[in-house]
Amino acid sequence: MSKPAPSSGFLSDLITRNASRLTGSDTRLLDVLVKDPVRAAIENGKEVSLRAGVHPAAAVRLAKRLGFEGYPEFRTYLQSSLVDEGNDFENPAARMAARLVRAEEGQVLSSILDSEIAALEALRTAVPDSDIRSFSEALRDARKIFIFGRGHAASLSSLITLRLQRSGYDVADLGDRTHHFAEMLNTLSPADVVWLLAFRRPSQQISDANGIASMRGAKRLALTDLHAARFDPAPDHQICASRGEAGESQSLVVPMTIANAIILDLAGIDAGKSIRSLEEFKAFRQSLPPRWRR
Amino acid sequence: MSKPAPSSGFLSDLITRNASRLTGSDTRLLDVLVKDPVRAAIENGKEVSLRAGVHPAAAVRLAKRLGFEGYPEFRTYLQSSLVDEGNDFENPAARMAARLVRAEEGQVLSSILDSEIAALEALRTAVPDSDIRSFSEALRDARKIFIFGRGHAASLSSLITLRLQRSGYDVADLGDRTHHFAEMLNTLSPADVVWLLAFRRPSQQISDANGIASMRGAKRLALTDLHAARFDPAPDHQICASRGEAGESQSLVVPMTIANAIILDLAGIDAGKSIRSLEEFKAFRQSLPPRWRR
DNA sequence: CTAGGTCTGCAATTTGAATTGCAGGCTACA
DNA sequence: TGTAGCCTGCAATTCAAATTGCAGACCTAG
C-alpha cells in the first residue's frame, strides 16, 4: 500500500502494475472507467459504482488497491490524465487526417485503430443481414459442419470451430490437420455443410475441398475477402468482405466480426440449442476441479 | 431564485441573462470558470473559489444567483456541456445504447459492429504506444519466443505465431500442444520471451507457465483482458485491455488488434529483419509449384 | 466435508464539502 | 455626516461522500 501513485500517464499502467491484486468488483469498475474516461473523471465514487453495479465501498477499495490514499485521490489522478489530453476532442476523421500529415513514428496503435474502424464501418453497408442469415440457417440445418482455412485463416477456423462446438454443433476443424484431409472429406454427405475461409489468394487445397464438397452434394459456404473470391463451382452462399486498404492488412478483424455475427444470429434461430449447450458447457466446466478449467 | 436552470446551452447564456445581478466576486469567479471550462467542470466549489481568490461561500452564492439550487447542481450543468461535446465522437456507443432498447431482430451485424467499434475506440485512450513498444522491443531482442494461449486465446496464439515466423523470428506456439508443454518450457533461458494470452479467466496452465518462465528468468509478456489480469509473479510487461461489455463478448477483435500493432511496430524497429524475411517468404512461396502455395 | 482465506455488501462512523446566519465594511444618497 | 442597502468573509451547521469494521458468502485446498 505504500506504493506512490504515478504523477502522470495512463490508467492502463496502474492496472497492469497492480493486476495481481484485482478482484471481480474491481474489474467491473475498471470496465466502466476505461469505457468512458471523461465520465469517470467527473463522477464521484458513488455514481461510478452504481453505474458499474457494485457497492460504493468497492470503489474505495479499488482506489486503495491501486496505491492511492483514497477514492478522491484516485479521481484526481483520472482527472489529470483527462486534462492533459483535453486538447483534442476532434473527431476521428480529423485526427486521421492530421496524422497522415505528421510523421509516422509513435502512432502505431492509433493508426491501426483508424484503419480497422474504417473497415468495420464499411461493413455496415456492404454486408446485409440476409447474408448473415443464410449462413446461420445453413449451419442450423447441418448434420455435420466442416470448417476449412489455411494460413491466417486457420486461426479463424479454429476459433469458429471452438465456438460452434460449445454451441452444441458437430464441427470438425480442417485448418491444421492436412493429413486427415481425405478421410474427413470422404464422409461428406448432402446433409453436411463445408465452411470455407480464404483470404489473399485462393489456396489450391481450398479449391480442392470446394470441388469435392460440390461433387458430394454438401452445402458450401465461403467467407472470403475480395482477393480470394473465385471458386469454380460457386458456393451455395458466399460473403465477400473487403479487409480495408490494399496495404499490409493482415488483419482478421473484419472476417472474425462477420463470423461472430453469424454465430450470434445462429443462437437466435436454432430454438435455444446454442443457449442450452452454452449453459451446459458452463455448468460442466464449473463441475471440474479448478486445475482443469479451460 | 425560482428560475429553472436551462437544460442545455453554454455558460455565456447564463451570464448575459443574469448580468445585472452579478457582483465583484461573481465576475472574478466567472473569469476563472470561463478561462478553463474543463477544470471548472472537474473541480469543486472550494478549489474554484481559492483559484479565483474569493471565499468558498461566494461560489455557492453565484450558483444560486444563476438560478441553480446550489453549487453541486451548477457544477453538474458545467459538466453536462463538457460531456455532451465528448459524446459527439462516440457515435457507435450512443447508437448501441439506443439499439439495446429497441428490438433486437434483424440488426445482428450492425449491433455487433457498434459494439466492436466502441471497444476499439476505447482502446485509443486506454493503451499508450509505449506499451506496444515495450512488447515489440522484448520480441526483437529475444532468442526464442513462446506464445501461450488456451481456449479462444489459442486461435490468437496460432495467428501471432504464424505472423512472427514469417517475420523471421524463432517462435513456438504452445496453444494446442499441451503434451509438449514440459519439454518446451524446459529449454527456457533468460534470453527467451514467453508471451502469455488469457481472457475471461486466468487458466491454471497459463499461471504455471508464468511461474516456470519466471523461475528460469525468461522475460514474460502478458496480453489479457481485465478478467484475467492476475499473474502472481507479475510479468515484465502487461497490456490489459477491456473487451467491451461484460455481456457475451467472446470477440478477439481487441486483443488481435493490439497484437497486430505490436507486430507492425516490431517491423519498424528491427532494422529490416521483418521486412526482409517477409520478402524472402513471398519469393519462396512463388518458387513452389502451384499446388503447394499456402 | 471441513477449515482457512478472500471477497462482498451492509451499516456505522468519519471526513470534508456545501450551505447559511451573522457581523463588519463599503457605497450612495439624503 | 448619518443611514440604508448590499456585499463580503467568517464560522457554525447541515448534508453528502468517503471510509472502515463486521459478518455472511464464496471459493479453494486439504
Side-chain angles (χ1 to χ4, degrees), chain B:
Chain B
M1 291 301 156
S2 63
K3 186 178 304 171
S7 61
S8 73
F10 279 87
L11 183 55
S12 56
D13 286 348
L14 276 180
I15 297 176
T16 56
R17 208 195 319 275
N18 303 72
S20 58
R21 299 167 165 267
L22 298 182
T23 74
S25 302
D26 291 341
T27 55
R28 260 193 285 179
L29 274 167
L30 288 172
D31 265 341
V32 171
L33 295 183
V34 170
K35 187 164 296 178
D36 193 344
V38 179
R39 283 187 76 175
I42 285 174
E43 291 179 336
N44 58 25
K46 189 183 173 189
E47 291 168 317
V48 168
S49 43
L50 285 185
R51 211 143 53 82
V54 299
H55 196 272
V60 179
R61 290 174 177 135
L62 169 62
K64 296 212 164 193
R65 256 190 283 272
L66 292 180
F68 296 94
E69 192 63 32
Y71 190 82
E73 194 184 317
F74 179 40
R75 186 180 48 208
T76 301
Y77 170 78
L78 294 176
Q79 291 171 352
S80 74
S81 60
L82 180 67
V83 171
D84 283 345
E85 278 189 59
N87 271 344
D88 278 346
F89 64 78
E90 269 187 331
N91 278 335
R95 194 161 31 199
M96 183 167 66
R99 176 166 302 107
L100 287 180
V101 176
R102 229 180 297 152
E104 289 291 327
E105 189 60 27
Q107 296 288 335
V108 190
L109 180 58
S110 202
S111 155
I112 285 190
L113 285 174
D114 287 338
S115 113
E116 296 291 10
I117 290 174
L120 289 176
E121 276 296 351
L123 251 197
R124 199 189 299 278
T125 58
V127 175
D129 271 327
S130 56
D131 282 358
I132 306 288
R133 178 57 58 90
S134 58
F135 267 57
S136 53
E137 282 174 349
L139 294 174
R140 177 194 57 190
D141 302 332
R143 184 186 68 105
K144 192 163 163 57
I145 300 168
F146 296 84
I147 316 285
F148 201 102
R150 303 275 303 156
H152 290 161
S155 309
L156 191 51
S157 80
S158 76
L159 180 66
I160 293 174
T161 302
L162 182 60
R163 293 197 58 188
L164 285 177
Q165 280 172 345
R166 290 194 180 171
S167 290
Y169 290 86
D170 187 3
V171 189
D173 178 15
L174 299 181
D176 286 325
R177 271 154 293 173
T178 323
H179 24 288
H180 295 156
F181 192 64
E183 289 80 353
M184 296 305 251
L185 291 179
N186 189 40
T187 70
L188 273 179
S189 86
D192 294 329
V193 165
V194 177
W195 183 348
L196 307 167
L197 303 165
F199 312 110
R200 308 284 290 179
R201 276 166 188 265
S203 140
Q204 183 62 45
Q205 283 179 321
I206 292 275
S207 300
D208 293 347
N210 177 55
I212 295 172
S214 167
M215 270 193 304
R216 296 202 158 256
K219 185 165 272 191
R220 286 157 297 123
L221 312 177
L223 173 59
T224 70
D225 65 5
L226 289 168
H227 303 95
R230 316 175 123 198
F231 285 104
D232 189 5
D236 300 86
H237 299 288
Q238 180 167 11
I239 294 178
C240 178
S242 164
R243 291 191 300 151
E245 276 311 307
E248 206 58 46
S249 171
Q250 305 280 0
S251 169
L252 291 179
V253 163
V254 164
M256 175 182 289
T257 301
I258 295 175
N260 286 338
I262 291 168
I263 293 170
L264 180 60
D265 189 51
L266 175 61
I269 64 167
D270 66 358
K273 175 176 176 178
S274 293
I275 309 291
R276 248 179 289 116
S277 175
L278 288 169
E279 295 290 337
E280 284 174 17
F281 175 75
K282 197 175 163 189
F284 169 72
R285 188 161 65 186
Q286 288 188 348
S287 74
L288 290 175
R291 172 155 297 267
W292 288 94
R293 289 181 195 168
R294 294 194 71 178

Side-chain angles (χ1 to χ4, degrees), chain A residues 253-266:
Chain A
V253 163
V254 164
M256 175 181 289
T257 300
I258 296 174
N260 286 338
I262 291 168
I263 293 169
L264 180 61
D265 189 52
L266 175 61

Side-chain angles (χ1 to χ4, degrees), chain A residues 93-286:
Chain A
R95 193 161 28 204
M96 187 164 63
R99 176 168 310 107
L100 289 179
V101 176
R102 222 182 301 152
E104 290 294 324
E105 187 62 26
Q107 297 289 337
V108 190
L109 180 59
S110 206
S111 144
I112 285 191
L113 285 174
D114 287 336
S115 105
E116 296 290 12
I117 289 174
L120 289 176
E121 277 295 353
L123 253 195
R124 200 187 298 278
T125 57
V127 175
D129 270 329
S130 55
D131 282 359
I132 306 288
R133 179 56 58 90
S134 58
F135 267 58
S136 53
E137 281 173 349
L139 294 173
R140 177 194 58 189
D141 302 333
R143 184 188 68 105
K144 190 163 165 60
I145 300 167
F146 297 84
I147 316 285
F148 200 102
R150 303 277 303 156
H152 290 162
S155 309
L156 191 51
S157 81
S158 77
L159 181 66
I160 293 173
T161 302
L162 182 59
R163 293 198 58 187
L164 284 178
Q165 279 172 345
R166 290 193 180 172
S167 289
Y169 290 85
D170 187 4
V171 190
D173 178 15
L174 298 182
D176 285 326
R177 273 155 290 174
T178 323
H179 26 287
H180 294 157
F181 192 65
E183 288 82 351
M184 297 304 252
L185 291 181
N186 189 40
T187 69
L188 273 179
S189 86
D192 295 329
V193 165
V194 177
W195 183 347
L196 307 168
L197 303 165
F199 312 110
R200 310 281 290 175
R201 277 163 190 267
S203 141
Q204 183 63 45
Q205 283 178 320
I206 292 273
S207 299
D208 292 347
N210 177 53
I212 296 172
S214 168
M215 270 194 306
R216 294 199 161 260
K219 184 166 275 192
R220 286 155 298 124
L221 312 176
L223 173 58
T224 69
D225 66 5
L226 296 169
H227 303 95
R230 308 178 138 197
F231 284 102
D232 187 5
D236 299 85
H237 300 288
Q238 180 164 10
I239 295 179
C240 176
S242 161
R243 291 192 297 154
E245 280 311 305
E248 207 56 47
S249 172
Q250 305 280 0
S251 167
L252 291 179
V253 163
V254 164
M256 175 181 289
T257 300
I258 296 174
N260 286 338
I262 291 168
I263 293 169
L264 180 61
D265 189 52
L266 175 61
I269 64 167
D270 65 359
K273 174 176 178 179
S274 293
I275 309 292
R276 250 178 289 116
S277 174
L278 289 169
E279 294 291 338
E280 284 173 16
F281 175 74
K282 196 175 163 190
F284 169 71
R285 186 160 68 186
Q286 288 188 349

